[in-house]
Amino acid sequence: MLDIRFEKTTNPKPLPTADNPLTFGTIFTDHMFEMDYETGKGWHDPRVIPYQPITLDPSAMVFHYGQEMFEGLKAYKADDGRILLFRPDMNAKRTNNTNRRICVPEIPEEDFVQAVKAVVATDKAWIPTKPGTSLYIRPFIIATDPFLGVRPSDTYKFIIILSPVGAYYPEGLNPVKIWIEDDYVRAVKGGVGEAKTGANYVASMAAQMKAHDDGYSQVLWLDGVERKYIEEVGAMNIFFKINGTVVTPMLNGSILPGITRNSCIELCKSWGIPVEERRISVQELFEAADNGSLEEVWGSGTAAVISPVGHLRWEDKVVQIKDGGIGELSQKLYDTVTGIQLGRIEGPKGWVIEV
Ligand SMILES: *Cc1c(COP(=O)(O)O)cnc(C)c1O
């Protein structure tokens, strides 16, 4: 249990107004959570303070060798006014999995969740209520030792910032066009692909730019060794419905274990739909598209929840899925997950936590 100190702002910002449509990650609330770590002392001085810049030494290790991690989750305001978090215990667990991989000290799971609740409760007036909107929560940890040698830092900051975000698809679910990348790779087994760390994102940017230039919104990554097996979209996991069976790449060490991915698998199983977590080659996928058994494709992640895929390109081959439209199961998963998140549908036990 953290003994959190609260310092409220004396200069609150105006809340976003309804005529100002929210985008993603551009405005931040009045407060943030901060806690420090020092070897020998552990995590200490947990506090909710006014949102403000942080001052770091230019030699701070995070700037040079990338020892940092982040998480992403959302808070929602239910119709009855309750403030709900979706499976924050999973973010806490994943934080520590990431931390172990990048030699960052762990944070007790209950402290992580308590810190999220404390800062969300402080800024609860910032949770938007229009359909599709939410309060995005970004916890992150950075290495702060002023030192240019290569080793894990002895000091860290754990910070949580909050950003009211708009509907990912303001006009309702909208299928995306995806580029299958076979030149660059995002991650390899044994690397940091299954850790939620910025290194995976910087590795992905050149391919992302290439895809954008060609009119594609996202990159689908193949395995880094054979460039044959499908991995994930880089900020989303990927699902296929082939001949009535839901197929998603198995967690193999280079794929990020998404909480939305896990939720999709659990829900499909509960509806009696067969789910296979296994290797799937891009060859198999395009064969399924050719013989008509590829029924749906969607991505899963906190930001968009479910992103139907309408169009896939691999080398010079292009397939349209559902004529570029939205699949039934994609829509049902979107409606169910967002319904659970908003407290309108009863989900599996423990998925929704009240702040
Ligand atoms: C965060 C993330 C996801 C999605 O995970 P969720 O927990 O569902 O938001 C997928 N891939 C990568 C690389 C990610 O960083």
Side-chain angles (χ1 to χ4, degrees), residues 70 72 94 186 196 201 232 234-237 256-261 300-302:
F70 68 94
R94 189 167 66 189
R186 170 188 174 273
K196 210 163 171 78
Y201 283 76
E232 63 157 299
M236 288 195 294
N237 297 106
L256 199 286
I259 295 162
T260 322
R261 174 188 180 277
S300 71
T302 295

Side-chain angles (χ1 to χ4, degrees), residues 33 65 125:
F33 175 87
Y65 311 119

Side-chain angles (χ1 to χ4, degrees), residues 50-175:
Y51 184 92
Q52 59 192 272
I54 49 178
T55 304
L56 292 175
D57 198 292
S59 63
M61 293 179 84
V62 63
F63 296 133
H64 305 279
Y65 311 119
Q67 200 193 9
E68 71 88 38
M69 65 77 59
F70 68 94
E71 270 298 331
L73 67 161
K74 285 174 170 176
Y76 301 84
K77 202 169 267 169
D79 301 328
D80 59 8
R82 285 178 308 150
I83 298 161
L84 305 177
L85 300 172
F86 184 67
R87 310 186 76 182
D89 51 309
M90 297 279 280
N91 298 93
K93 275 199 190 78
R94 189 167 66 189
T95 292
N96 287 331
N97 289 338
T98 296
N99 288 6
R100 281 191 290 274
R101 179 63 184 84
I102 62 170
C103 303
V104 166
E106 292 180 37
I107 295 176
E109 280 172 34
E110 56 280 12
D111 291 356
F112 178 99
V113 174
Q114 188 194 348
V116 168
K117 285 182 176 176
V119 66
V120 168
T122 305
D123 279 339
K124 60 177 184 280
W126 287 79
I127 306 175
T129 51
K130 269 205 190 160
T133 64
S134 57
L135 185 69
Y136 184 77
I137 305 166
R138 169 53 61 87
F140 63 101
I141 303 174
I142 52 174
T144 54
D145 274 10
F147 178 53
L148 294 184
V150 179
R151 57 152 174 79
S153 184
D154 278 315
T155 57
Y156 299 87
K157 276 187 185 300
F158 173 47
I159 296 173
I160 305 173
I161 55 175
L162 308 173
S163 176
V165 296
Y168 205 84
Y169 299 109
E171 283 100 43
L173 278 189
N174 200 5

